[in-house]
Amino acid sequence: MSSAAPIEPPVLVRVLAPVGRVFLGFLAVVGSISVFTFRALTHCVTPPFYWRLTLRQMMDIGYYSLPVVGMTAIFTGMVLALQSYSGFSRFSAEGAVATVVVLSMTRELGPVLAGLMVAGRVGASMAAEIGTMKVTEQIDALTTLSTNPFKYLVAPRLIAGFLMMPLLVLVADSIGVFGGFLIGVNKLNFNPANYLTRTFEFLELKDVVSGLVKAACFGFVISLMGCYHGYNSRGGAQGVGTATINAVVSALMLILIFNYVITELFFSQ
Amino acid sequence: MSAPPHLKIHVSDLHKSFGRKVVLDGLDLDVARSESVVVIGGSGSGKSVLLKCILGLIRPDSGSIQIDGRDVTDLRGSERDELMLKFGMLFQGSALFDSLTVWENVSFGLIQARGMDRDAARETAIAKLAQVGLAPDVGMLYPAELSGGMQKRVALARAIAADPEIIFFDEPTTGLDPIMGDVINDLIVKCVKELGATTLSITHDLASARKIAHRIAMLHEGKIIWSGPVASIDRSGNPYVDQFIHGRAEGPIQMQVSR
Ligand SMILES: Nc1ncnc2c1ncn2[C@@H]1O[C@H](COP(=O)(O)OP(=O)(O)OP(=O)(O)O)[C@@H](O)[C@H]1O
Ligand SMILES: [Mg+2]
């Protein structure tokens, strides 16, 4: 009789099998992202280069993200000043407000908040655009026209993300500090000259540089996730939608993870 | 094992499956220099997949593809880009770049891959658009602003813009009115006659096939089950071909439908 019921696997196997499957799936994704990154990087450094496209992406990531990032930065700077003032007044340390604002902005909040905003804006649009090109065979068409899609689509976005995020964060830092200054002077009655002196008194180059390193790293990750998920989308509109969600969510997670790693590298003794 | 020198395209024992679905199952196909071959076959029989395998857009599971006597099955990177200079491809779904205008689409290969300057490329693009019956001012529009048939003709103009040696047409006349369809047929014939291009076309339109083909090949269940000169299609003696060209629901080809 061959129609006997299949042998029941032991309980342990039944519990562990899905865990193993998830783990293997995770490894597969990590592997495929690594291969994608490696391919993309080699195309970033070998000609031909598409300068016009890179410039357009730089405009898109840098210039057009300014309003969103600026708004985020100014309110964050303002809130920081208010919060640290009311907190620090409990032990009469109000004088530290300016220092707290500038250190928090340059080291943490500038890069992280700008990264999160840009991930939502730029990462999503990259994934949607490349994903649509993928499912409508436009990427295949590029190949048949002797144009490498990695060079034409991926490399300009990676380069633009990597270069523009630090500039964007530099602007965000300044606007954030300015927001703190506004509140400090107008609402908390600091002397303007005094507040500014306090701002730069304890600021070290390392504080700003670590923030910019984070920014460059986040910019690269945002573009990479947008391109990777767009490039690997399949199906139709739904596939592009999924790719967009995955691009944004994975970029947000990676930003938070890399933020910790870079902080650890810079500031742990 | 090299193909005879007169063969432009030599495909042998090509296999391709998607998951458990076998699409190409040991397919052999030869196309001679300056020959025009039309592949016919039921919907979903793998005709588009065949073209994409030859172009390297889909990696076949096994088998070999030779272009001009050179094995290109595993060609990658810049060598692949270089090989593509020989090819023009009209995609079934047009696949126009929707962020570029029509003339930029048509001249894309000229500007990006061949380094032609933009003004000269625009002139060429407008001349090619005229050949497919589109006025110069269409060149300034975006693909989304065109009708389906117009998009198809723009895609056709893009495929032939660089006067490639080998041109693939995936359903060039589908979605066009009969008169424009015939204009396109004439254009394809002209590409072969005047430019000496080798073409491999897919069509469901037998009138079009009779006009453009030197030879017709029928794809069924992953293999070329019949191929012969276009004149012999009506007396092929092959029941599959007979059923297909007469469009009969009854016969050896069973469509998966419930009645
Ligand atoms: N990327 C893919 N992933 C999975 N299956 C695919 C893919 N591309 C094609 N197929 C499958 O391969 C089969 C052949 O597809 P193909 O597009 O070649 O058909 P076709 O002969 O061109 O049909 P039509 O005349 O309708 O265009 C179909 O059953 C399709 O489902
Ligand atoms: Mg098809």
PDB file of all heavy atoms in Angstrom, chain A residues 50 52 132-133 136-138 140-148 152, chain B residues 52 55 57 81 84-85 87 89 91 95-98 108 112-113 118 158:
ATOM      1  N   TYR A  50      27.537  59.002 -16.426  1.00  0.00           N
ATOM      2  CA  TYR A  50      26.414  59.818 -16.898  1.00  0.00           C
ATOM      3  C   TYR A  50      26.297  61.053 -16.005  1.00  0.00           C
ATOM      4  O   TYR A  50      25.546  61.071 -15.040  1.00  0.00           O
ATOM      5  CB  TYR A  50      25.132  58.995 -16.895  1.00  0.00           C
ATOM      6  CG  TYR A  50      25.160  57.886 -17.914  1.00  0.00           C
ATOM      7  CD1 TYR A  50      25.522  56.596 -17.560  1.00  0.00           C
ATOM      8  CD2 TYR A  50      24.845  58.134 -19.244  1.00  0.00           C
ATOM      9  CE1 TYR A  50      25.574  55.582 -18.496  1.00  0.00           C
ATOM     10  CE2 TYR A  50      24.888  57.133 -20.195  1.00  0.00           C
ATOM     11  CZ  TYR A  50      25.252  55.857 -19.811  1.00  0.00           C
ATOM     12  OH  TYR A  50      25.301  54.866 -20.750  1.00  0.00           O
ATOM     13  N   ARG A  52      25.153  64.117 -16.539  1.00  0.00           N
ATOM     14  CA  ARG A  52      23.876  64.849 -16.541  1.00  0.00           C
ATOM     15  C   ARG A  52      22.858  64.195 -15.613  1.00  0.00           C
ATOM     16  O   ARG A  52      22.171  64.868 -14.850  1.00  0.00           O
ATOM     17  CB  ARG A  52      23.296  64.899 -17.959  1.00  0.00           C
ATOM     18  CG  ARG A  52      23.856  66.019 -18.824  1.00  0.00           C
ATOM     19  CD  ARG A  52      23.539  65.754 -20.287  1.00  0.00           C
ATOM     20  NE  ARG A  52      22.130  65.438 -20.497  1.00  0.00           N
ATOM     21  CZ  ARG A  52      21.256  66.316 -20.975  1.00  0.00           C
ATOM     22  NH1 ARG A  52      21.626  67.527 -21.280  1.00  0.00           N
ATOM     23  NH2 ARG A  52      19.995  65.985 -21.151  1.00  0.00           N
ATOM     24  N   THR A 132       8.846  50.628 -11.699  1.00  0.00           N
ATOM     25  CA  THR A 132       7.973  50.765 -12.867  1.00  0.00           C
ATOM     26  C   THR A 132       8.751  50.477 -14.144  1.00  0.00           C
ATOM     27  O   THR A 132       8.256  49.790 -15.044  1.00  0.00           O
ATOM     28  CB  THR A 132       7.382  52.186 -12.930  1.00  0.00           C
ATOM     29  OG1 THR A 132       6.743  52.451 -11.687  1.00  0.00           O
ATOM     30  CG2 THR A 132       6.374  52.306 -14.050  1.00  0.00           C
ATOM     31  N   MET A 133       9.979  50.965 -14.207  1.00  0.00           N
ATOM     32  CA  MET A 133      10.794  50.692 -15.395  1.00  0.00           C
ATOM     33  C   MET A 133      11.054  49.207 -15.548  1.00  0.00           C
ATOM     34  O   MET A 133      11.111  48.680 -16.651  1.00  0.00           O
ATOM     35  CB  MET A 133      12.126  51.444 -15.323  1.00  0.00           C
ATOM     36  CG  MET A 133      11.980  52.941 -15.426  1.00  0.00           C
ATOM     37  SD  MET A 133      13.570  53.769 -15.547  1.00  0.00           S
ATOM     38  CE  MET A 133      14.084  53.342 -17.201  1.00  0.00           C
ATOM     39  N   THR A 136       7.694  47.354 -16.680  1.00  0.00           N
ATOM     40  CA  THR A 136       7.256  47.693 -18.033  1.00  0.00           C
ATOM     41  C   THR A 136       8.354  47.428 -19.064  1.00  0.00           C
ATOM     42  O   THR A 136       8.300  47.941 -20.171  1.00  0.00           O
ATOM     43  CB  THR A 136       6.808  49.159 -18.131  1.00  0.00           C
ATOM     44  OG1 THR A 136       7.903  49.980 -17.704  1.00  0.00           O
ATOM     45  CG2 THR A 136       5.615  49.443 -17.276  1.00  0.00           C
ATOM     46  N   GLU A 137       9.351  46.641 -18.672  1.00  0.00           N
ATOM     47  CA  GLU A 137      10.435  46.209 -19.569  1.00  0.00           C
ATOM     48  C   GLU A 137      11.324  47.351 -20.045  1.00  0.00           C
ATOM     49  O   GLU A 137      12.101  47.195 -20.969  1.00  0.00           O
ATOM     50  CB  GLU A 137       9.882  45.471 -20.801  1.00  0.00           C
ATOM     51  CG  GLU A 137       9.156  44.190 -20.438  1.00  0.00           C
ATOM     52  CD  GLU A 137       8.640  43.446 -21.658  1.00  0.00           C
ATOM     53  OE1 GLU A 137       8.202  44.110 -22.605  1.00  0.00           O
ATOM     54  OE2 GLU A 137       8.698  42.211 -21.652  1.00  0.00           O
ATOM     55  N   GLN A 138      11.230  48.529 -19.413  1.00  0.00           N
ATOM     56  CA  GLN A 138      12.103  49.619 -19.846  1.00  0.00           C
ATOM     57  C   GLN A 138      13.564  49.318 -19.528  1.00  0.00           C
ATOM     58  O   GLN A 138      14.467  49.766 -20.233  1.00  0.00           O
ATOM     59  CB  GLN A 138      11.700  50.928 -19.172  1.00  0.00           C
ATOM     60  CG  GLN A 138      10.362  51.460 -19.639  1.00  0.00           C
ATOM     61  CD  GLN A 138       9.967  52.738 -18.920  1.00  0.00           C
ATOM     62  OE1 GLN A 138      10.726  53.687 -18.855  1.00  0.00           O
ATOM     63  NE2 GLN A 138       8.773  52.751 -18.362  1.00  0.00           N
ATOM     64  N   ASP A 140      14.886  46.273 -19.604  1.00  0.00           N
ATOM     65  CA  ASP A 140      15.311  45.398 -20.703  1.00  0.00           C
ATOM     66  C   ASP A 140      15.615  46.223 -21.947  1.00  0.00           C
ATOM     67  O   ASP A 140      16.580  45.962 -22.660  1.00  0.00           O
ATOM     68  CB  ASP A 140      14.210  44.385 -21.028  1.00  0.00           C
ATOM     69  CG  ASP A 140      14.113  43.284 -19.985  1.00  0.00           C
ATOM     70  OD1 ASP A 140      15.056  43.165 -19.177  1.00  0.00           O
ATOM     71  OD2 ASP A 140      13.112  42.559 -19.980  1.00  0.00           O
ATOM     72  N   ALA A 141      14.773  47.224 -22.197  1.00  0.00           N
ATOM     73  CA  ALA A 141      14.984  48.055 -23.386  1.00  0.00           C
ATOM     74  C   ALA A 141      16.318  48.784 -23.302  1.00  0.00           C
ATOM     75  O   ALA A 141      17.041  48.893 -24.294  1.00  0.00           O
ATOM     76  CB  ALA A 141      13.836  49.048 -23.542  1.00  0.00           C
ATOM     77  N   LEU A 142      16.671  49.257 -22.104  1.00  0.00           N
ATOM     78  CA  LEU A 142      17.978  49.906 -21.928  1.00  0.00           C
ATOM     79  C   LEU A 142      19.096  48.966 -22.359  1.00  0.00           C
ATOM     80  O   LEU A 142      20.001  49.355 -23.094  1.00  0.00           O
ATOM     81  CB  LEU A 142      18.203  50.251 -20.452  1.00  0.00           C
ATOM     82  CG  LEU A 142      17.706  51.566 -19.900  1.00  0.00           C
ATOM     83  CD1 LEU A 142      18.064  51.644 -18.432  1.00  0.00           C
ATOM     84  CD2 LEU A 142      18.329  52.724 -20.646  1.00  0.00           C
ATOM     85  N   THR A 143      19.004  47.714 -21.892  1.00  0.00           N
ATOM     86  CA  THR A 143      20.044  46.741 -22.227  1.00  0.00           C
ATOM     87  C   THR A 143      20.137  46.546 -23.735  1.00  0.00           C
ATOM     88  O   THR A 143      21.231  46.514 -24.292  1.00  0.00           O
ATOM     89  CB  THR A 143      19.741  45.399 -21.542  1.00  0.00           C
ATOM     90  OG1 THR A 143      19.484  45.657 -20.171  1.00  0.00           O
ATOM     91  CG2 THR A 143      20.900  44.448 -21.667  1.00  0.00           C
ATOM     92  N   THR A 144      18.990  46.427 -24.405  1.00  0.00           N
ATOM     93  CA  THR A 144      19.044  46.202 -25.855  1.00  0.00           C
ATOM     94  C   THR A 144      19.558  47.432 -26.587  1.00  0.00           C
ATOM     95  O   THR A 144      19.930  47.341 -27.743  1.00  0.00           O
ATOM     96  CB  THR A 144      17.679  45.817 -26.444  1.00  0.00           C
ATOM     97  OG1 THR A 144      16.791  46.928 -26.318  1.00  0.00           O
ATOM     98  CG2 THR A 144      17.084  44.624 -25.758  1.00  0.00           C
ATOM     99  N   LEU A 145      19.567  48.591 -25.934  1.00  0.00           N
ATOM    100  CA  LEU A 145      20.133  49.785 -26.560  1.00  0.00           C
ATOM    101  C   LEU A 145      21.571  50.009 -26.079  1.00  0.00           C
ATOM    102  O   LEU A 145      22.066  51.135 -26.054  1.00  0.00           O
ATOM    103  CB  LEU A 145      19.259  51.002 -26.265  1.00  0.00           C
ATOM    104  CG  LEU A 145      17.875  50.924 -26.932  1.00  0.00           C
ATOM    105  CD1 LEU A 145      16.901  51.915 -26.329  1.00  0.00           C
ATOM    106  CD2 LEU A 145      17.988  51.149 -28.429  1.00  0.00           C
ATOM    107  N   SER A 146      22.223  48.908 -25.682  1.00  0.00           N
ATOM    108  CA  SER A 146      23.645  48.926 -25.301  1.00  0.00           C
ATOM    109  C   SER A 146      23.937  49.867 -24.142  1.00  0.00           C
ATOM    110  O   SER A 146      25.020  50.431 -24.059  1.00  0.00           O
ATOM    111  CB  SER A 146      24.541  49.318 -26.479  1.00  0.00           C
ATOM    112  OG  SER A 146      24.342  48.452 -27.544  1.00  0.00           O
ATOM    113  N   THR A 147      22.973  50.072 -23.275  1.00  0.00           N
ATOM    114  CA  THR A 147      23.182  50.948 -22.129  1.00  0.00           C
ATOM    115  C   THR A 147      23.016  50.115 -20.873  1.00  0.00           C
ATOM    116  O   THR A 147      21.968  49.522 -20.662  1.00  0.00           O
ATOM    117  CB  THR A 147      22.165  52.100 -22.144  1.00  0.00           C
ATOM    118  OG1 THR A 147      22.287  52.779 -23.384  1.00  0.00           O
ATOM    119  CG2 THR A 147      22.413  53.056 -21.008  1.00  0.00           C
ATOM    120  N   ASN A 148      24.056  50.064 -20.059  1.00  0.00           N
ATOM    121  CA  ASN A 148      23.993  49.254 -18.855  1.00  0.00           C
ATOM    122  C   ASN A 148      23.097  49.918 -17.811  1.00  0.00           C
ATOM    123  O   ASN A 148      23.362  51.046 -17.400  1.00  0.00           O
ATOM    124  CB  ASN A 148      25.404  49.080 -18.305  1.00  0.00           C
ATOM    125  CG  ASN A 148      25.442  48.055 -17.203  1.00  0.00           C
ATOM    126  OD1 ASN A 148      24.644  48.114 -16.276  1.00  0.00           O
ATOM    127  ND2 ASN A 148      26.339  47.106 -17.316  1.00  0.00           N
ATOM    128  N   TYR A 152      23.432  53.511 -15.900  1.00  0.00           N
ATOM    129  CA  TYR A 152      22.511  54.566 -16.299  1.00  0.00           C
ATOM    130  C   TYR A 152      21.557  54.928 -15.159  1.00  0.00           C
ATOM    131  O   TYR A 152      21.238  56.093 -14.957  1.00  0.00           O
ATOM    132  CB  TYR A 152      21.713  54.105 -17.518  1.00  0.00           C
ATOM    133  CG  TYR A 152      20.836  55.155 -18.147  1.00  0.00           C
ATOM    134  CD1 TYR A 152      21.362  56.088 -19.035  1.00  0.00           C
ATOM    135  CD2 TYR A 152      19.476  55.210 -17.860  1.00  0.00           C
ATOM    136  CE1 TYR A 152      20.558  57.046 -19.618  1.00  0.00           C
ATOM    137  CE2 TYR A 152      18.669  56.164 -18.443  1.00  0.00           C
ATOM    138  CZ  TYR A 152      19.217  57.082 -19.325  1.00  0.00           C
ATOM    139  OH  TYR A 152      18.422  58.036 -19.898  1.00  0.00           O
TER     140      TYR A 152
ATOM    141  N   LYS B  52      13.879  36.968 -25.828  1.00  0.00           N
ATOM    142  CA  LYS B  52      14.636  37.512 -24.695  1.00  0.00           C
ATOM    143  C   LYS B  52      15.829  36.638 -24.345  1.00  0.00           C
ATOM    144  O   LYS B  52      16.848  37.146 -23.880  1.00  0.00           O
ATOM    145  CB  LYS B  52      13.714  37.655 -23.480  1.00  0.00           C
ATOM    146  CG  LYS B  52      12.751  38.819 -23.640  1.00  0.00           C
ATOM    147  CD  LYS B  52      11.902  39.009 -22.415  1.00  0.00           C
ATOM    148  CE  LYS B  52      10.834  40.039 -22.669  1.00  0.00           C
ATOM    149  NZ  LYS B  52       9.859  40.078 -21.565  1.00  0.00           N
ATOM    150  N   LEU B  55      18.533  37.563 -26.755  1.00  0.00           N
ATOM    151  CA  LEU B  55      19.088  38.873 -26.414  1.00  0.00           C
ATOM    152  C   LEU B  55      19.865  38.860 -25.097  1.00  0.00           C
ATOM    153  O   LEU B  55      20.518  39.841 -24.756  1.00  0.00           O
ATOM    154  CB  LEU B  55      17.959  39.904 -26.292  1.00  0.00           C
ATOM    155  CG  LEU B  55      17.300  40.344 -27.598  1.00  0.00           C
ATOM    156  CD1 LEU B  55      16.010  41.087 -27.316  1.00  0.00           C
ATOM    157  CD2 LEU B  55      18.245  41.226 -28.392  1.00  0.00           C
ATOM    158  N   LEU B  57      18.454  38.717 -22.167  1.00  0.00           N
ATOM    159  CA  LEU B  57      17.670  39.355 -21.099  1.00  0.00           C
ATOM    160  C   LEU B  57      17.183  38.310 -20.111  1.00  0.00           C
ATOM    161  O   LEU B  57      16.948  38.598 -18.945  1.00  0.00           O
ATOM    162  CB  LEU B  57      16.476  40.100 -21.686  1.00  0.00           C
ATOM    163  CG  LEU B  57      16.823  41.230 -22.653  1.00  0.00           C
ATOM    164  CD1 LEU B  57      15.576  41.783 -23.293  1.00  0.00           C
ATOM    165  CD2 LEU B  57      17.583  42.323 -21.932  1.00  0.00           C
ATOM    166  N   ASP B  81      27.068  44.530 -23.927  1.00  0.00           N
ATOM    167  CA  ASP B  81      26.657  45.851 -24.435  1.00  0.00           C
ATOM    168  C   ASP B  81      27.114  46.032 -25.877  1.00  0.00           C
ATOM    169  O   ASP B  81      26.395  46.572 -26.708  1.00  0.00           O
ATOM    170  CB  ASP B  81      27.259  46.973 -23.571  1.00  0.00           C
ATOM    171  CG  ASP B  81      26.662  46.988 -22.176  1.00  0.00           C
ATOM    172  OD1 ASP B  81      25.616  46.341 -21.972  1.00  0.00           O
ATOM    173  OD2 ASP B  81      27.232  47.642 -21.291  1.00  0.00           O
ATOM    174  N   MET B  84      25.087  44.078 -28.293  1.00  0.00           N
ATOM    175  CA  MET B  84      23.759  44.662 -28.469  1.00  0.00           C
ATOM    176  C   MET B  84      23.739  45.746 -29.540  1.00  0.00           C
ATOM    177  O   MET B  84      22.683  46.122 -30.031  1.00  0.00           O
ATOM    178  CB  MET B  84      23.259  45.233 -27.138  1.00  0.00           C
ATOM    179  CG  MET B  84      22.781  44.190 -26.172  1.00  0.00           C
ATOM    180  SD  MET B  84      21.352  43.348 -26.811  1.00  0.00           S
ATOM    181  CE  MET B  84      21.656  41.701 -26.235  1.00  0.00           C
ATOM    182  N   LEU B  85      24.914  46.277 -29.873  1.00  0.00           N
ATOM    183  CA  LEU B  85      24.952  47.280 -30.945  1.00  0.00           C
ATOM    184  C   LEU B  85      24.461  46.694 -32.261  1.00  0.00           C
ATOM    185  O   LEU B  85      24.023  47.424 -33.146  1.00  0.00           O
ATOM    186  CB  LEU B  85      26.379  47.822 -31.120  1.00  0.00           C
ATOM    187  CG  LEU B  85      26.912  48.680 -29.983  1.00  0.00           C
ATOM    188  CD1 LEU B  85      28.375  49.009 -30.198  1.00  0.00           C
ATOM    189  CD2 LEU B  85      26.097  49.956 -29.851  1.00  0.00           C
ATOM    190  N   PHE B  87      21.939  44.742 -32.494  1.00  0.00           N
ATOM    191  CA  PHE B  87      20.537  44.371 -32.389  1.00  0.00           C
ATOM    192  C   PHE B  87      19.607  45.575 -32.315  1.00  0.00           C
ATOM    193  O   PHE B  87      19.976  46.629 -31.797  1.00  0.00           O
ATOM    194  CB  PHE B  87      20.293  43.540 -31.124  1.00  0.00           C
ATOM    195  CG  PHE B  87      20.741  42.120 -31.234  1.00  0.00           C
ATOM    196  CD1 PHE B  87      22.029  41.756 -30.895  1.00  0.00           C
ATOM    197  CD2 PHE B  87      19.872  41.145 -31.682  1.00  0.00           C
ATOM    198  CE1 PHE B  87      22.443  40.444 -31.001  1.00  0.00           C
ATOM    199  CE2 PHE B  87      20.269  39.832 -31.783  1.00  0.00           C
ATOM    200  CZ  PHE B  87      21.566  39.475 -31.442  1.00  0.00           C
ATOM    201  N   MET B  89      15.426  45.909 -31.051  1.00  0.00           N
ATOM    202  CA  MET B  89      14.342  45.080 -30.509  1.00  0.00           C
ATOM    203  C   MET B  89      13.087  45.919 -30.332  1.00  0.00           C
ATOM    204  O   MET B  89      13.128  46.979 -29.714  1.00  0.00           O
ATOM    205  CB  MET B  89      14.775  44.488 -29.159  1.00  0.00           C
ATOM    206  CG  MET B  89      13.650  43.892 -28.327  1.00  0.00           C
ATOM    207  SD  MET B  89      13.160  42.251 -28.893  1.00  0.00           S
ATOM    208  CE  MET B  89      11.836  41.840 -27.757  1.00  0.00           C
ATOM    209  N   PHE B  91       9.755  45.711 -28.408  1.00  0.00           N
ATOM    210  CA  PHE B  91       9.105  44.938 -27.351  1.00  0.00           C
ATOM    211  C   PHE B  91       7.601  44.872 -27.588  1.00  0.00           C
ATOM    212  O   PHE B  91       7.002  45.810 -28.111  1.00  0.00           O
ATOM    213  CB  PHE B  91       9.386  45.555 -25.980  1.00  0.00           C
ATOM    214  CG  PHE B  91      10.776  45.301 -25.496  1.00  0.00           C
ATOM    215  CD1 PHE B  91      11.819  46.142 -25.855  1.00  0.00           C
ATOM    216  CD2 PHE B  91      11.058  44.205 -24.703  1.00  0.00           C
ATOM    217  CE1 PHE B  91      13.110  45.897 -25.426  1.00  0.00           C
ATOM    218  CE2 PHE B  91      12.347  43.953 -24.264  1.00  0.00           C
ATOM    219  CZ  PHE B  91      13.373  44.802 -24.624  1.00  0.00           C
ATOM    220  N   ALA B  95       7.623  49.297 -24.288  1.00  0.00           N
ATOM    221  CA  ALA B  95       8.738  49.577 -23.364  1.00  0.00           C
ATOM    222  C   ALA B  95       9.435  50.898 -23.661  1.00  0.00           C
ATOM    223  O   ALA B  95      10.658  50.998 -23.615  1.00  0.00           O
ATOM    224  CB  ALA B  95       9.755  48.427 -23.364  1.00  0.00           C
ATOM    225  N   LEU B  96       8.657  51.935 -23.961  1.00  0.00           N
ATOM    226  CA  LEU B  96       9.259  53.254 -24.184  1.00  0.00           C
ATOM    227  C   LEU B  96       9.666  53.862 -22.840  1.00  0.00           C
ATOM    228  O   LEU B  96       9.013  53.611 -21.826  1.00  0.00           O
ATOM    229  CB  LEU B  96       8.268  54.171 -24.890  1.00  0.00           C
ATOM    230  CG  LEU B  96       7.870  53.739 -26.297  1.00  0.00           C
ATOM    231  CD1 LEU B  96       6.767  54.643 -26.841  1.00  0.00           C
ATOM    232  CD2 LEU B  96       9.068  53.760 -27.228  1.00  0.00           C
ATOM    233  N   PHE B  97      10.712  54.677 -22.843  1.00  0.00           N
ATOM    234  CA  PHE B  97      11.136  55.348 -21.610  1.00  0.00           C
ATOM    235  C   PHE B  97      10.181  56.498 -21.343  1.00  0.00           C
ATOM    236  O   PHE B  97      10.157  57.474 -22.090  1.00  0.00           O
ATOM    237  CB  PHE B  97      12.564  55.873 -21.751  1.00  0.00           C
ATOM    238  CG  PHE B  97      13.542  54.810 -22.134  1.00  0.00           C
ATOM    239  CD1 PHE B  97      14.337  54.946 -23.244  1.00  0.00           C
ATOM    240  CD2 PHE B  97      13.646  53.654 -21.376  1.00  0.00           C
ATOM    241  CE1 PHE B  97      15.233  53.961 -23.605  1.00  0.00           C
ATOM    242  CE2 PHE B  97      14.534  52.651 -21.723  1.00  0.00           C
ATOM    243  CZ  PHE B  97      15.323  52.804 -22.840  1.00  0.00           C
ATOM    244  N   ASP B  98       9.413  56.408 -20.266  1.00  0.00           N
ATOM    245  CA  ASP B  98       8.350  57.405 -20.108  1.00  0.00           C
ATOM    246  C   ASP B  98       8.857  58.727 -19.562  1.00  0.00           C
ATOM    247  O   ASP B  98       8.114  59.703 -19.535  1.00  0.00           O
ATOM    248  CB  ASP B  98       7.173  56.863 -19.290  1.00  0.00           C
ATOM    249  CG  ASP B  98       7.619  56.057 -18.100  1.00  0.00           C
ATOM    250  OD1 ASP B  98       8.718  56.341 -17.582  1.00  0.00           O
ATOM    251  OD2 ASP B  98       6.887  55.149 -17.686  1.00  0.00           O
ATOM    252  N   PHE B 108      17.734  57.289 -28.615  1.00  0.00           N
ATOM    253  CA  PHE B 108      18.456  56.893 -27.398  1.00  0.00           C
ATOM    254  C   PHE B 108      19.738  56.120 -27.706  1.00  0.00           C
ATOM    255  O   PHE B 108      20.820  56.453 -27.211  1.00  0.00           O
ATOM    256  CB  PHE B 108      17.549  56.048 -26.496  1.00  0.00           C
ATOM    257  CG  PHE B 108      18.112  55.823 -25.125  1.00  0.00           C
ATOM    258  CD1 PHE B 108      17.814  56.676 -24.086  1.00  0.00           C
ATOM    259  CD2 PHE B 108      18.960  54.753 -24.872  1.00  0.00           C
ATOM    260  CE1 PHE B 108      18.338  56.472 -22.829  1.00  0.00           C
ATOM    261  CE2 PHE B 108      19.496  54.550 -23.617  1.00  0.00           C
ATOM    262  CZ  PHE B 108      19.183  55.411 -22.594  1.00  0.00           C
ATOM    263  N   GLN B 112      23.357  57.591 -26.682  1.00  0.00           N
ATOM    264  CA  GLN B 112      24.028  56.969 -25.536  1.00  0.00           C
ATOM    265  C   GLN B 112      25.112  56.001 -25.957  1.00  0.00           C
ATOM    266  O   GLN B 112      26.211  56.010 -25.400  1.00  0.00           O
ATOM    267  CB  GLN B 112      23.010  56.238 -24.649  1.00  0.00           C
ATOM    268  CG  GLN B 112      21.913  57.115 -24.087  1.00  0.00           C
ATOM    269  CD  GLN B 112      22.430  58.181 -23.135  1.00  0.00           C
ATOM    270  OE1 GLN B 112      23.587  58.148 -22.728  1.00  0.00           O
ATOM    271  NE2 GLN B 112      21.600  59.138 -22.802  1.00  0.00           N
ATOM    272  N   ALA B 113      24.804  55.130 -26.928  1.00  0.00           N
ATOM    273  CA  ALA B 113      25.753  54.051 -27.210  1.00  0.00           C
ATOM    274  C   ALA B 113      26.687  54.383 -28.361  1.00  0.00           C
ATOM    275  O   ALA B 113      27.782  53.858 -28.449  1.00  0.00           O
ATOM    276  CB  ALA B 113      24.998  52.761 -27.504  1.00  0.00           C
ATOM    277  N   ARG B 118      23.454  65.570 -30.298  1.00  0.00           N
ATOM    278  CA  ARG B 118      22.006  65.604 -30.119  1.00  0.00           C
ATOM    279  C   ARG B 118      21.253  66.140 -31.327  1.00  0.00           C
ATOM    280  O   ARG B 118      20.174  65.668 -31.652  1.00  0.00           O
ATOM    281  CB  ARG B 118      21.653  66.426 -28.873  1.00  0.00           C
ATOM    282  CG  ARG B 118      21.916  65.665 -27.585  1.00  0.00           C
ATOM    283  CD  ARG B 118      21.654  66.532 -26.364  1.00  0.00           C
ATOM    284  NE  ARG B 118      20.237  66.771 -26.120  1.00  0.00           N
ATOM    285  CZ  ARG B 118      19.456  65.914 -25.457  1.00  0.00           C
ATOM    286  NH1 ARG B 118      19.929  64.790 -25.023  1.00  0.00           N
ATOM    287  NH2 ARG B 118      18.184  66.208 -25.243  1.00  0.00           N
ATOM    288  N   ARG B 158      12.339  53.295 -32.799  1.00  0.00           N
ATOM    289  CA  ARG B 158      13.509  53.170 -31.939  1.00  0.00           C
ATOM    290  C   ARG B 158      14.309  51.908 -32.277  1.00  0.00           C
ATOM    291  O   ARG B 158      15.536  51.930 -32.280  1.00  0.00           O
ATOM    292  CB  ARG B 158      13.066  53.131 -30.468  1.00  0.00           C
ATOM    293  CG  ARG B 158      14.219  53.051 -29.494  1.00  0.00           C
ATOM    294  CD  ARG B 158      13.757  53.128 -28.053  1.00  0.00           C
ATOM    295  NE  ARG B 158      13.072  51.919 -27.623  1.00  0.00           N
ATOM    296  CZ  ARG B 158      12.579  51.750 -26.408  1.00  0.00           C
ATOM    297  NH1 ARG B 158      12.670  52.703 -25.507  1.00  0.00           N
ATOM    298  NH2 ARG B 158      11.977  50.628 -26.085  1.00  0.00           N
TER     299      ARG B 158
END
